[in-house]
Amino acid sequence: MSARYDRAITVFSPDGHLFQVEYALEAVRKGTLAVGVRGKDTIVLGVEKKAAAKLQDARTVRKIVKIDEHICLAFAGLTADARVLVNRARMEAQSYRLTLDEQVSVDHITKYIAGVQQKYTQSGGVRPFGISTLIVGFDPAGAPQLYQTDPSGIHSAWKATAIGRNSKTIREFLEKNYIETSGKDTVKLAIKALLETVEAGSKSIEVAVMDKEHGLRVWTDEEVDALVKEVEAEKAAAEASKRGGAGQAGAV
């Protein structure tokens, strides 16, 4: 049945599906993982790094990019699609600044990106963007913001979320473990979430932290490795404590 309705982006199937949009969502699900966690004064983006070819410069492959000085974006899906959408968002941010003489809000840039994505679901001769995005920044009052957009054009605000491969597993982990924290504890939660499905270490994980005072800072490999070791040590200590408690209960 789907074969007759998946060739044109603007044609609904009889049961209300737009198959090309669903295929775009499938491309996102096959993309490398990205996690966003919002704290009291910090927002953290953590992404799974693809293994670079031996002769490739890994610095040229980025899944965390700046839109403006105070807004950052991570994505999952087709990198080439992301480049086009990021460039359009940057142009909008600069146009907003030139027109209104103030920096663009996170809410405005999220709605702009979602609007572009939605436009590409009902126009002839195009296809949907095969990416989902996580957009972070601070509102004018200084409150941290985390938004997600999808290929369908949906956008929504989150406390913590994940997109890409194994995102369902990560979201379930975040639902069980999320507590609004600040500073380093927020980074720890993002790394713990990534470690549920990603190999430990800076070769597989990239972390960017944004706070109101210092803006965006991408952590070095050494910083990531140090915090991963700390998280794993805490996990091992908690498991040892559980085993010890279970042994004492059995002895009683």
Side-chain angles (χ1 to χ4, degrees), residues 140-188:
Q145 303 286 312
L146 168 62
Y147 289 94
Q148 176 181 334
T149 74
D150 289 325
S152 60
I154 292 172
H155 70 278
S156 50
W158 293 76
K159 294 177 182 176
T161 188
I163 54 176
R165 191 183 304 132
N166 299 316
S167 56
K168 185 179 177 183
T169 303
I170 305 304
R171 274 197 296 269
E172 287 171 356
F173 172 85
L174 289 168
E175 284 170 10
K176 290 176 186 173
N177 295 278
Y178 178 81
I179 302 170
E180 193 174 46
T181 54
S182 59
K184 191 176 177 181
D185 289 334
T186 310
V187 186
K188 274 187 181 179

Side-chain angles (χ1 to χ4, degrees), residues 191 195 200-202 205 223-233:
I191 285 181
L195 291 179
S202 59
I205 295 172
E223 288 175 306
V224 172
D225 285 331
L227 196 57
V228 165
K229 284 178 184 175
E230 191 176 326
V231 166
E232 289 183 324

Side-chain angles (χ1 to χ4, degrees), residues 9 11 13 27 30 35 44 50 54 60 102 109-110 115 121-122 135 152 168 176-177 188 192-193 209 221 228 236:
I9 186 63
V11 178
S13 70
K30 289 182 177 178
V35 174
V44 181
K50 246 182 179 177
K54 191 173 181 180
T60 61
E102 61 182 39
I109 211 71
T110 298
T121 68
Q122 60 175 149
I135 304 161
S152 60
K168 185 179 177 183
K176 290 176 186 173
N177 295 278
K188 274 187 181 179
K192 283 177 184 175
V209 180
D221 289 351
V228 165

